Amino acid sequence: MLNTFPNRFLPILFGVLLAIPCAGMARAAVTEPSDPIDRILIVVNDEIITASEVETRVRTVRARLASQKVTLPPDDILRRQVMDRMVAERLQQQAARQLGFTVSDERLDRAIRQVAEQNKKTPEELRRESEKEPGGYRAFREELRGQLLVQQLVEREVNNRIFISEAEVENFLAGQAGRDGGAEYNISHILLGLPESASPEVIARAKLKVEGLLAELRKGADFGQLAVANSQGQNALEGGGLGWKQAGQLPDLFVSALRTLKPGSVSEVLRSPSGFHILRLNDQRGGGETLQVTQTRVRHILIKTGELVPLSEAQRRIEQLRERIANGVDFAETARAHSEDVGSAANGGDLGWVNPGQTVPEFEKAMNALKPGALSAAVKSPFGMHLIQVQERRERDVSQERAAATARSQLHARKADERYEQWLRQLRDEAFVEYRLDGKYEIQPQMNTDKRR
Protein backbone atom coordinates (compact mmCIF):
# COMPACT_ATOMS: atom_id res chain seq x y z
CA MET A 1 0.00 0.00 0.00
CA LEU A 2 1.49 3.30 -1.00
CA ASN A 3 1.79 5.92 1.67
CA THR A 4 3.55 8.78 0.11
CA PHE A 5 3.00 10.48 -3.20
CA PRO A 6 4.10 13.60 -5.06
CA ASN A 7 3.02 17.23 -5.10
CA ARG A 8 0.76 18.74 -2.48
CA PHE A 9 -1.46 15.67 -2.18
CA LEU A 10 1.06 13.85 0.04
CA PRO A 11 4.78 14.33 0.86
CA ILE A 12 7.44 13.37 -1.65
CA LEU A 13 8.49 9.74 -1.25
CA PHE A 14 12.23 9.35 -1.66
CA GLY A 15 13.69 12.87 -1.56
CA VAL A 16 17.20 12.77 -0.15
CA LEU A 17 19.54 15.70 -0.67
CA LEU A 18 22.64 14.39 -2.39
CA ALA A 19 24.82 16.58 -4.53
CA ILE A 20 28.47 15.51 -4.50
CA PRO A 21 29.60 15.04 -8.07
CA CYS A 22 32.40 12.53 -8.53
CA ALA A 23 35.61 14.22 -9.47
CA GLY A 24 37.94 12.77 -12.05
CA MET A 25 35.26 11.12 -14.22
CA ALA A 26 34.84 11.67 -17.91
CA ARG A 27 31.96 13.94 -18.89
CA ALA A 28 28.77 12.12 -19.84
CA ALA A 29 27.58 12.05 -23.42
CA VAL A 30 24.19 13.77 -23.48
CA THR A 31 21.83 15.17 -26.06
CA GLU A 32 20.90 18.83 -25.95
CA PRO A 33 17.17 19.56 -25.54
CA SER A 34 15.32 20.31 -28.74
CA ASP A 35 14.12 23.67 -27.41
CA PRO A 36 17.16 25.98 -27.48
CA ILE A 37 15.65 28.12 -24.71
CA ASP A 38 15.34 25.14 -22.37
CA ARG A 39 18.98 24.71 -21.49
CA ILE A 40 20.63 21.85 -19.64
CA LEU A 41 21.22 22.56 -15.96
CA ILE A 42 22.37 19.16 -14.69
CA VAL A 43 23.91 16.06 -16.24
CA VAL A 44 23.26 12.88 -14.25
CA ASN A 45 25.29 10.05 -15.78
CA ASP A 46 23.93 9.89 -19.34
CA GLU A 47 20.72 11.81 -18.65
CA ILE A 48 19.93 15.51 -18.33
CA ILE A 49 17.75 17.72 -16.17
CA THR A 50 16.66 20.88 -17.93
CA ALA A 51 15.90 24.38 -16.69
CA SER A 52 12.17 23.92 -17.32
CA GLU A 53 12.10 20.72 -15.23
CA VAL A 54 13.84 22.49 -12.37
CA GLU A 55 11.54 25.51 -12.55
CA THR A 56 8.45 23.29 -12.60
CA ARG A 57 9.63 21.51 -9.46
CA VAL A 58 10.61 24.78 -7.79
CA ARG A 59 7.09 26.14 -8.37
CA THR A 60 5.60 22.96 -6.94
CA VAL A 61 7.78 23.09 -3.82
CA ARG A 62 7.15 26.81 -3.40
CA ALA A 63 3.37 26.28 -3.60
CA ARG A 64 3.50 23.41 -1.11
CA LEU A 65 5.60 25.36 1.39
CA ALA A 66 3.29 28.36 1.05
CA SER A 67 0.26 26.15 1.76
CA GLN A 68 2.08 24.92 4.89
CA LYS A 69 2.73 28.55 5.86
CA VAL A 70 6.50 28.00 5.79
CA THR A 71 8.42 31.20 5.11
CA LEU A 72 10.35 30.70 1.88
CA PRO A 73 14.14 31.03 1.74
CA PRO A 74 15.81 33.08 -1.02
CA ASP A 75 15.14 31.68 -4.51
CA ASP A 76 18.73 30.67 -5.19
CA ILE A 77 18.90 28.56 -2.01
CA LEU A 78 15.53 26.93 -2.65
CA ARG A 79 16.49 26.19 -6.26
CA ARG A 80 19.76 24.53 -5.22
CA GLN A 81 18.01 22.34 -2.67
CA VAL A 82 15.48 21.32 -5.31
CA MET A 83 18.20 20.47 -7.82
CA ASP A 84 20.01 18.33 -5.27
CA ARG A 85 16.85 16.39 -4.60
CA MET A 86 16.14 15.92 -8.30
CA VAL A 87 19.63 14.46 -8.75
CA ALA A 88 18.98 11.95 -5.97
CA GLU A 89 15.66 10.94 -7.51
CA ARG A 90 17.13 10.55 -10.98
CA LEU A 91 19.98 8.36 -9.73
CA GLN A 92 17.55 6.01 -8.00
CA GLN A 93 15.31 5.79 -11.06
CA GLN A 94 18.31 5.00 -13.25
CA ALA A 95 19.39 2.22 -10.89
CA ALA A 96 15.86 0.78 -10.92
CA ARG A 97 15.71 0.70 -14.70
CA GLN A 98 19.14 -0.90 -14.93
CA LEU A 99 17.83 -3.75 -12.79
CA GLY A 100 14.85 -4.18 -15.09
CA PHE A 101 12.15 -2.63 -12.93
CA THR A 102 9.22 -1.06 -14.75
CA VAL A 103 5.87 0.48 -13.84
CA SER A 104 3.03 -0.37 -16.21
CA ASP A 105 0.22 2.06 -16.98
CA GLU A 106 -2.16 -0.33 -15.23
CA ARG A 107 -0.04 -0.26 -12.04
CA LEU A 108 0.20 3.52 -12.27
CA ASP A 109 -3.58 3.86 -12.65
CA ARG A 110 -4.10 1.70 -9.55
CA ALA A 111 -1.73 3.91 -7.58
CA ILE A 112 -3.56 7.03 -8.74
CA ARG A 113 -6.83 5.52 -7.52
CA GLN A 114 -5.15 4.90 -4.15
CA VAL A 115 -3.95 8.51 -3.99
CA ALA A 116 -7.47 9.70 -4.78
CA GLU A 117 -8.97 7.41 -2.14
CA GLN A 118 -6.51 8.53 0.52
CA ASN A 119 -7.37 12.15 -0.25
CA LYS A 120 -11.12 11.40 -0.30
CA LYS A 121 -11.44 12.28 -3.97
CA THR A 122 -12.40 10.52 -7.16
CA PRO A 123 -9.66 9.93 -9.76
CA GLU A 124 -11.32 12.55 -11.96
CA GLU A 125 -11.30 15.11 -9.13
CA LEU A 126 -7.64 14.33 -8.54
CA ARG A 127 -6.93 14.82 -12.22
CA ARG A 128 -8.67 18.21 -12.29
CA GLU A 129 -6.78 19.40 -9.23
CA SER A 130 -3.42 18.18 -10.53
CA GLU A 131 -4.00 20.14 -13.74
CA LYS A 132 -3.74 23.28 -11.61
CA GLU A 133 -0.29 22.24 -10.39
CA PRO A 134 2.92 23.12 -12.25
CA GLY A 135 3.32 20.63 -15.10
CA GLY A 136 -0.28 19.47 -14.87
CA TYR A 137 -1.62 15.92 -14.75
CA ARG A 138 1.12 14.55 -16.99
CA ALA A 139 3.83 15.72 -14.59
CA PHE A 140 1.86 14.29 -11.67
CA ARG A 141 1.66 10.86 -13.36
CA GLU A 142 5.33 10.77 -14.29
CA GLU A 143 6.49 11.85 -10.83
CA LEU A 144 4.34 9.12 -9.30
CA ARG A 145 5.66 6.59 -11.84
CA GLY A 146 9.20 7.48 -10.79
CA GLN A 147 8.37 7.04 -7.11
CA LEU A 148 6.79 3.63 -7.75
CA LEU A 149 9.90 2.63 -9.68
CA VAL A 150 12.14 3.61 -6.79
CA GLN A 151 9.82 1.90 -4.33
CA GLN A 152 10.50 -1.43 -6.03
CA LEU A 153 14.22 -0.78 -5.94
CA VAL A 154 14.28 0.17 -2.25
CA GLU A 155 12.24 -2.91 -1.37
CA ARG A 156 14.94 -5.07 -2.99
CA GLU A 157 18.07 -3.18 -1.97
CA VAL A 158 17.00 -2.18 1.54
CA ASN A 159 13.91 -3.74 3.12
CA ASN A 160 14.48 -7.33 1.99
CA ARG A 161 18.03 -7.37 3.35
CA ILE A 162 17.27 -6.55 6.99
CA PHE A 163 17.22 -9.16 9.77
CA ILE A 164 16.21 -8.50 13.38
CA SER A 165 17.39 -11.02 16.00
CA GLU A 166 15.68 -11.80 19.31
CA ALA A 167 18.75 -10.46 21.13
CA GLU A 168 18.33 -7.12 19.37
CA VAL A 169 14.69 -6.95 20.44
CA GLU A 170 15.63 -7.71 24.06
CA ASN A 171 18.41 -5.09 24.07
CA PHE A 172 16.05 -2.55 22.52
CA LEU A 173 13.39 -3.13 25.19
CA ALA A 174 16.03 -2.77 27.90
CA GLY A 175 17.30 0.48 26.42
CA GLN A 176 15.98 3.99 26.59
CA ALA A 177 13.70 3.84 23.55
CA GLY A 178 12.16 0.64 24.90
CA ARG A 179 11.56 2.23 28.31
CA ASP A 180 9.64 5.02 26.59
CA GLY A 181 7.00 2.44 25.65
CA GLY A 182 4.55 3.72 23.07
CA ALA A 183 5.69 7.34 23.15
CA GLU A 184 5.41 9.13 19.82
CA TYR A 185 6.91 12.47 18.86
CA ASN A 186 5.96 14.86 16.08
CA ILE A 187 9.25 16.57 15.28
CA SER A 188 11.05 18.84 12.86
CA HIS A 189 14.76 18.52 12.17
CA ILE A 190 17.71 20.56 10.92
CA LEU A 191 20.93 18.74 10.02
CA LEU A 192 24.31 20.17 9.16
CA GLY A 193 26.25 17.12 8.05
CA LEU A 194 29.93 16.32 8.48
CA PRO A 195 32.20 14.02 6.46
CA GLU A 196 33.50 11.00 8.33
CA SER A 197 37.03 12.42 8.18
CA ALA A 198 36.14 16.08 8.73
CA SER A 199 39.04 18.31 9.73
CA PRO A 200 38.87 20.38 12.95
CA GLU A 201 38.41 23.50 10.80
CA VAL A 202 35.38 22.03 8.97
CA ILE A 203 33.85 20.89 12.26
CA ALA A 204 34.40 24.32 13.82
CA ARG A 205 32.74 26.09 10.87
CA ALA A 206 29.75 23.75 10.97
CA LYS A 207 29.40 24.17 14.73
CA LEU A 208 29.55 27.94 14.41
CA LYS A 209 26.85 27.88 11.74
CA VAL A 210 24.50 25.56 13.63
CA GLU A 211 24.89 27.61 16.81
CA GLY A 212 23.96 30.68 14.76
CA LEU A 213 20.83 28.90 13.52
CA LEU A 214 19.91 27.96 17.08
CA ALA A 215 20.35 31.57 18.18
CA GLU A 216 18.00 32.67 15.39
CA LEU A 217 15.43 30.10 16.50
CA ARG A 218 15.69 31.28 20.10
CA LYS A 219 14.84 34.78 18.85
CA GLY A 220 11.72 33.52 17.08
CA ALA A 221 12.94 32.69 13.56
CA ASP A 222 10.75 30.40 11.49
CA PHE A 223 12.02 26.82 11.89
CA GLY A 224 10.65 25.70 8.53
CA GLN A 225 12.36 28.51 6.63
CA LEU A 226 15.72 27.81 8.27
CA ALA A 227 15.34 24.09 7.52
CA VAL A 228 14.53 24.67 3.85
CA ALA A 229 17.45 27.05 3.48
CA ASN A 230 20.10 25.24 5.51
CA SER A 231 19.26 21.66 6.43
CA GLN A 232 20.94 18.76 4.67
CA GLY A 233 18.35 16.34 6.01
CA GLN A 234 16.02 14.25 3.88
CA ASN A 235 13.01 16.41 4.75
CA ALA A 236 14.57 19.82 4.22
CA LEU A 237 12.10 20.75 1.48
CA GLU A 238 9.21 19.91 3.79
CA GLY A 239 10.42 22.53 6.28
CA GLY A 240 12.33 19.84 8.16
CA GLY A 241 9.13 18.14 9.25
CA LEU A 242 9.53 14.43 10.03
CA GLY A 243 5.94 13.90 11.20
CA TRP A 244 5.07 11.39 13.92
CA LYS A 245 7.87 9.04 14.92
CA GLN A 246 7.84 6.35 17.58
CA ALA A 247 10.64 6.60 20.10
CA GLY A 248 12.22 3.40 18.81
CA GLN A 249 12.50 4.81 15.31
CA LEU A 250 14.75 7.60 16.54
CA PRO A 251 18.37 7.54 17.73
CA ASP A 252 18.76 7.46 21.52
CA LEU A 253 20.44 10.87 21.21
CA PHE A 254 17.19 12.32 19.85
CA VAL A 255 14.97 10.54 22.39
CA SER A 256 17.05 11.87 25.31
CA ALA A 257 16.67 15.42 24.03
CA LEU A 258 12.96 15.10 23.23
CA ARG A 259 12.13 13.83 26.71
CA THR A 260 13.24 17.20 28.13
CA LEU A 261 11.28 19.35 25.65
CA LYS A 262 7.77 20.78 25.73
CA PRO A 263 5.73 21.07 22.51
CA GLY A 264 6.86 24.10 20.53
CA SER A 265 10.38 24.21 21.99
CA VAL A 266 13.70 23.43 20.31
CA SER A 267 16.61 21.35 21.51
CA GLU A 268 20.18 22.36 22.11
CA VAL A 269 22.63 21.54 19.33
CA LEU A 270 23.07 17.75 19.22
CA ARG A 271 26.23 16.12 17.87
CA SER A 272 26.23 12.69 16.24
CA PRO A 273 28.76 10.97 13.94
CA SER A 274 26.79 12.29 10.97
CA GLY A 275 26.84 15.97 12.00
CA PHE A 276 25.03 18.60 14.06
CA HIS A 277 21.28 18.47 14.69
CA ILE A 278 18.56 20.76 16.00
CA LEU A 279 15.15 19.32 16.86
CA ARG A 280 11.83 20.99 17.45
CA LEU A 281 9.14 19.06 19.32
CA ASN A 282 5.84 19.89 17.65
CA ASP A 283 3.67 17.50 19.67
CA GLN A 284 3.82 14.33 21.77
CA ARG A 285 1.43 11.49 22.52
CA GLY A 286 1.30 8.05 24.14
CA GLY A 287 3.87 6.36 26.33
CA GLY A 288 3.67 4.21 29.40
CA GLU A 289 0.17 2.83 28.87
CA THR A 290 -0.80 -0.73 29.67
CA LEU A 291 -2.77 -2.59 27.05
CA GLN A 292 -5.60 -4.69 28.49
CA VAL A 293 -7.50 -6.84 26.01
CA THR A 294 -10.14 -9.56 26.08
CA GLN A 295 -8.72 -12.78 24.72
CA THR A 296 -10.91 -15.61 23.45
CA ARG A 297 -9.98 -19.26 23.34
CA VAL A 298 -11.83 -20.51 20.27
CA ARG A 299 -12.03 -23.53 17.99
CA HIS A 300 -13.63 -23.94 14.59
CA ILE A 301 -14.37 -26.20 11.67
CA LEU A 302 -13.81 -24.87 8.15
CA ILE A 303 -15.28 -26.04 4.86
CA LYS A 304 -13.57 -24.19 2.03
CA THR A 305 -15.50 -22.88 -0.96
CA GLY A 306 -14.34 -22.88 -4.57
CA GLU A 307 -15.17 -24.11 -8.05
CA LEU A 308 -15.83 -27.66 -6.83
CA VAL A 309 -17.58 -26.66 -3.59
CA PRO A 310 -20.08 -23.81 -4.00
CA LEU A 311 -21.13 -21.70 -1.03
CA SER A 312 -24.48 -23.47 -0.68
CA GLU A 313 -22.81 -26.89 -0.46
CA ALA A 314 -20.28 -25.67 2.13
CA GLN A 315 -23.09 -24.20 4.21
CA ARG A 316 -25.09 -27.46 4.01
CA ARG A 317 -22.11 -29.47 5.23
CA ILE A 318 -21.41 -27.08 8.12
CA GLU A 319 -25.04 -27.25 9.22
CA GLN A 320 -24.92 -31.04 9.18
CA LEU A 321 -21.78 -31.04 11.34
CA ARG A 322 -23.37 -28.55 13.71
CA GLU A 323 -26.36 -30.80 14.18
CA ARG A 324 -24.14 -33.78 15.00
CA ILE A 325 -22.18 -31.81 17.59
CA ALA A 326 -25.38 -30.44 19.11
CA ASN A 327 -26.55 -34.06 19.47
CA GLY A 328 -23.45 -35.03 21.43
CA VAL A 329 -20.67 -35.80 18.92
CA ASP A 330 -17.32 -34.47 20.15
CA PHE A 331 -16.31 -31.14 18.52
CA ALA A 332 -12.60 -31.96 18.46
CA GLU A 333 -13.11 -35.35 16.80
CA THR A 334 -15.43 -33.77 14.22
CA ALA A 335 -12.86 -31.06 13.48
CA ARG A 336 -10.05 -33.58 13.05
CA ALA A 337 -12.19 -35.59 10.63
CA HIS A 338 -13.81 -32.82 8.58
CA SER A 339 -12.14 -29.41 8.99
CA GLU A 340 -10.18 -28.16 5.99
CA ASP A 341 -8.09 -25.74 8.07
CA VAL A 342 -4.92 -27.82 8.04
CA GLY A 343 -3.25 -25.75 10.74
CA SER A 344 -5.92 -26.27 13.40
CA ALA A 345 -7.64 -29.54 12.36
CA ALA A 346 -4.97 -31.73 13.95
CA ASN A 347 -5.59 -29.87 17.25
CA GLY A 348 -9.33 -30.50 17.14
CA GLY A 349 -9.95 -27.10 15.52
CA ASP A 350 -8.32 -25.24 18.44
CA LEU A 351 -6.99 -21.80 17.48
CA GLY A 352 -5.70 -21.10 20.99
CA TRP A 353 -6.04 -17.70 22.65
CA VAL A 354 -7.01 -15.08 20.06
CA ASN A 355 -6.49 -11.32 20.44
CA PRO A 356 -8.85 -8.71 18.98
CA GLY A 357 -8.06 -8.11 15.32
CA GLN A 358 -6.24 -11.40 14.90
CA THR A 359 -8.98 -13.02 12.77
CA VAL A 360 -10.93 -11.76 9.77
CA PRO A 361 -13.82 -9.39 10.67
CA GLU A 362 -16.59 -11.86 9.79
CA PHE A 363 -15.09 -14.52 12.05
CA GLU A 364 -14.40 -12.10 14.90
CA LYS A 365 -17.91 -10.64 14.86
CA ALA A 366 -19.49 -14.09 15.12
CA MET A 367 -16.99 -15.19 17.78
CA ASN A 368 -17.61 -12.12 19.95
CA ALA A 369 -21.37 -12.75 19.87
CA LEU A 370 -21.00 -16.24 21.38
CA LYS A 371 -21.05 -17.21 25.04
CA PRO A 372 -18.54 -19.85 26.17
CA GLY A 373 -19.69 -23.30 25.13
CA ALA A 374 -22.17 -22.06 22.51
CA LEU A 375 -22.05 -23.08 18.84
CA SER A 376 -22.41 -20.54 16.07
CA ALA A 377 -24.58 -20.86 13.00
CA ALA A 378 -22.71 -21.25 9.70
CA VAL A 379 -20.38 -18.25 9.35
CA LYS A 380 -19.19 -17.06 5.96
CA SER A 381 -15.70 -15.58 5.55
CA PRO A 382 -13.27 -15.15 2.63
CA PHE A 383 -11.92 -18.64 3.46
CA GLY A 384 -15.25 -20.48 3.30
CA MET A 385 -17.89 -21.52 5.86
CA HIS A 386 -17.06 -21.93 9.56
CA LEU A 387 -18.61 -23.49 12.61
CA ILE A 388 -17.28 -21.67 15.68
CA GLN A 389 -17.28 -22.55 19.37
CA VAL A 390 -15.93 -20.26 22.10
CA GLN A 391 -14.35 -22.24 24.93
CA GLU A 392 -13.46 -19.44 27.39
CA ARG A 393 -12.49 -15.79 27.71
CA ARG A 394 -10.02 -13.85 29.84
CA GLU A 395 -8.70 -10.31 30.38
CA ARG A 396 -4.98 -10.00 29.84
CA ASP A 397 -2.33 -7.28 29.82
CA VAL A 398 -0.52 -7.77 26.50
CA SER A 399 1.72 -4.73 26.88
CA GLN A 400 4.90 -6.81 26.82
CA GLU A 401 3.85 -8.82 23.77
CA ARG A 402 2.82 -5.66 21.96
CA ALA A 403 6.03 -3.94 23.05
CA ALA A 404 8.12 -6.77 21.56
CA ALA A 405 6.23 -6.61 18.26
CA THR A 406 6.55 -2.83 18.20
CA ALA A 407 10.26 -3.07 19.00
CA ARG A 408 10.83 -5.40 16.08
CA SER A 409 8.99 -3.03 13.74
CA GLN A 410 10.88 0.02 15.00
CA LEU A 411 14.24 -1.71 14.77
CA HIS A 412 13.43 -2.66 11.19
CA ALA A 413 12.55 0.96 10.39
CA ARG A 414 15.75 2.23 12.01
CA LYS A 415 17.94 -0.28 10.19
CA ALA A 416 16.12 0.47 6.93
CA ASP A 417 16.91 4.18 7.31
CA GLU A 418 20.58 3.46 7.96
CA ARG A 419 20.88 0.99 5.08
CA TYR A 420 19.03 3.34 2.74
CA GLU A 421 21.47 6.13 3.47
CA GLN A 422 24.49 3.84 2.99
CA TRP A 423 23.08 2.58 -0.28
CA LEU A 424 22.43 6.13 -1.51
CA ARG A 425 25.96 7.19 -0.64
CA GLN A 426 27.32 4.30 -2.67
CA LEU A 427 24.99 5.13 -5.53
CA ARG A 428 26.12 8.75 -5.44
CA ASP A 429 29.83 7.88 -5.18
CA GLU A 430 29.61 5.83 -8.37
CA ALA A 431 27.70 8.49 -10.33
CA PHE A 432 28.77 11.34 -12.59
CA VAL A 433 26.93 14.60 -11.87
CA GLU A 434 27.68 17.92 -13.49
CA TYR A 435 25.94 21.21 -12.65
CA ARG A 436 25.89 23.79 -15.45
CA LEU A 437 25.06 26.97 -13.57
CA ASP A 438 25.29 30.45 -15.11
CA GLY A 439 27.08 29.05 -18.12
CA LYS A 440 29.73 27.36 -15.96
CA TYR A 441 30.42 23.72 -15.25
CA GLU A 442 30.41 22.81 -11.58
CA ILE A 443 31.85 19.50 -10.41
CA GLN A 444 32.61 19.98 -6.74
CA PRO A 445 31.62 18.37 -3.44
CA GLN A 446 29.47 20.16 -0.89
CA MET A 447 29.87 19.69 2.85
CA ASN A 448 28.91 16.08 3.62
CA THR A 449 26.04 15.86 1.18
CA ASP A 450 26.96 12.26 0.61
CA LYS A 451 27.68 11.46 4.27
CA ARG A 452 24.33 12.51 5.65
CA ARG A 453 22.28 10.73 8.22
Side-chain angles (χ1 to χ4, degrees):
M1 187 73 174
L2 300 172
N3 54 17
T4 44
F5 295 95
N7 298 334
R8 65 181 178 84
F9 298 105
L10 287 170
I12 294 176
L13 179 60
F14 291 112
V16 178
L17 305 177
L18 301 172
I20 304 183
C22 299
M25 296 181 65
R27 290 178 52 183
V30 299
T31 304
E32 296 287 337
S34 57
D35 184 350
I37 299 177
D38 190 9
R39 66 189 182 90
I40 296 173
L41 281 191
I42 313 170
V43 178
V44 185
N45 291 321
D46 59 352
E47 297 182 9
I48 63 172
I49 298 175
T50 65
S52 65
E53 292 177 275
V54 171
E55 290 310 308
T56 295
R57 180 67 70 87
V58 167
R59 289 197 299 271
T60 298
V61 172
R62 188 183 287 123
R64 185 177 67 248
L65 293 174
S67 71
Q68 297 171 351
K69 296 181 170 45
V70 174
T71 305
L72 296 173
D75 278 352
D76 59 333
I77 294 176
L78 178 62
R79 185 169 286 103
R80 184 59 190 240
Q81 291 276 53
V82 167
M83 287 192 295
D84 291 347
R85 172 169 286 183
M86 292 178 74
V87 168
E89 293 171 354
R90 188 65 62 91
L91 287 172
Q92 293 172 86
Q93 292 166 17
Q94 290 173 356
R97 287 192 295 268
Q98 288 171 1
L99 290 171
F101 293 120
T102 60
V103 176
S104 67
D105 288 341
E106 180 182 2
R107 174 70 183 90
L108 183 59
D109 289 340
R110 287 202 305 272
I112 288 174
R113 288 195 292 271
Q114 290 176 349
V115 176
E117 182 180 343
Q118 290 176 11
N119 288 275
K120 295 180 172 59
K121 302 179 186 296
T122 66
E124 185 55 37
E125 288 172 335
L126 185 66
R127 179 181 187 125
R128 287 197 298 269
E129 292 205 10
S130 66
E131 289 290 3
K132 302 174 186 177
E133 298 288 331
Y137 184 63
R138 179 180 178 184
F140 171 78
R141 280 180 62 89
E142 291 311 307
E143 187 176 346
L144 180 54
R145 190 193 299 273
Q147 291 185 6
L148 293 171
L149 194 65
V150 170
Q151 190 179 52
Q152 297 178 64
L153 179 66
V154 171
E155 190 67 24
R156 167 182 159 153
E157 297 295 325
V158 178
N159 294 334
N160 290 343
R161 302 188 181 189
I162 294 173
F163 171 76
I164 307 297
S165 69
E166 290 301 323
E168 288 177 293
V169 172
E170 292 174 5
N171 290 337
F172 176 91
L173 292 173
Q176 180 169 275
R179 292 193 299 271
D180 267 30
E184 293 183 279
Y185 302 97
N186 186 316
I187 60 177
S188 297
H189 175 228
I190 292 174
L191 164 67
L192 293 187
L194 290 172
E196 293 179 358
S197 56
S199 66
E201 293 78 12
V202 169
I203 295 173
R205 286 198 301 270
K207 184 178 181 182
L208 185 63
K209 180 175 180 179
V210 75
E211 288 175 344
L213 294 177
L214 181 60
E216 291 185 54
L217 291 169
R218 300 280 194 223
K219 294 177 183 178
D222 183 272
F223 192 101
Q225 182 187 26
L226 292 186
V228 173
N230 299 280
S231 179
Q232 298 170 326
Q234 298 183 20
N235 293 71
L237 290 180
E238 283 72 53
L242 301 181
W244 286 101
K245 296 289 185 182
Q246 294 175 315
Q249 294 177 278
L250 300 169
D252 286 345
L253 174 69
F254 286 14
V255 176
S256 294
L258 291 167
R259 293 174 72 181
T260 67
L261 298 180
K262 295 180 179 180
S265 60
V266 297
S267 70
E268 299 293 336
V269 172
L270 307 176
R271 172 71 192 275
S272 79
S274 60
F276 294 102
H277 311 260
I278 301 175
L279 303 177
R280 183 180 68 184
L281 177 60
N282 303 317
D283 202 357
Q284 180 178 354
R285 64 190 182 195
E289 304 94 343
T290 60
L291 184 60
Q292 200 81 11
V293 301
T294 300
Q295 293 183 325
T296 303
R297 188 177 178 192
V298 63
R299 56 186 179 180
H300 81 135
I301 297 171
L302 169 66
I303 303 298
K304 295 181 179 180
T305 55
E307 293 182 4
L308 300 179
V309 182
L311 182 64
S312 58
E313 172 62 16
Q315 182 172 349
R316 185 188 66 81
R317 290 166 58 182
I318 282 290
E319 290 171 348
Q320 286 180 340
L321 296 174
R322 186 186 191 282
E323 185 176 355
R324 293 181 195 175
I325 294 169
N327 290 330
V329 176
D330 184 71
F331 190 105
E333 290 181 4
T334 305
R336 278 190 283 268
H338 297 280
S339 180
E340 295 175 352
D341 178 7
V342 178
S344 68
N347 297 320
D350 192 358
L351 296 174
W353 289 100
V354 174
N355 292 322
Q358 198 169 336
T359 61
V360 294
E362 299 89 344
F363 189 102
E364 182 167 331
K365 182 179 179 181
M367 177 183 72
N368 290 342
L370 293 173
K371 294 180 179 180
L375 285 172
S376 72
V379 177
K380 178 187 175 184
S381 85
F383 301 102
M385 299 298 297
H386 306 259
L387 178 62
I388 303 172
Q389 184 181 55
V390 169
Q391 297 171 280
E392 54 183 318
R393 287 194 173 91
R394 68 184 182 188
E395 296 296 317
R396 179 160 179 169
D397 179 1
V398 295
S399 302
Q400 290 302 313
E401 293 91 332
R402 182 65 59 88
T406 300
R408 186 173 295 277
S409 173
Q410 293 178 5
L411 282 168
H412 189 282
R414 185 187 291 185
K415 280 192 173 185
D417 285 345
E418 293 171 355
R419 182 173 180 85
Y420 181 59
E421 291 163 2
Q422 293 168 358
W423 169 70
L424 277 176
R425 285 199 297 268
Q426 180 180 354
L427 194 65
R428 190 62 185 81
D429 287 342
E430 296 171 353
F432 170 82
V433 178
E434 177 185 81
Y435 289 78
R436 300 181 178 182
L437 308 176
D438 300 323
K440 300 176 181 178
Y441 296 138
E442 179 181 334
I443 306 180
Q444 61 182 29
Q446 297 179 353
M447 184 179 66
N448 192 45
T449 46
D450 96 327
K451 298 292 183 185
R452 295 177 185 168
R453 179 178 178 81

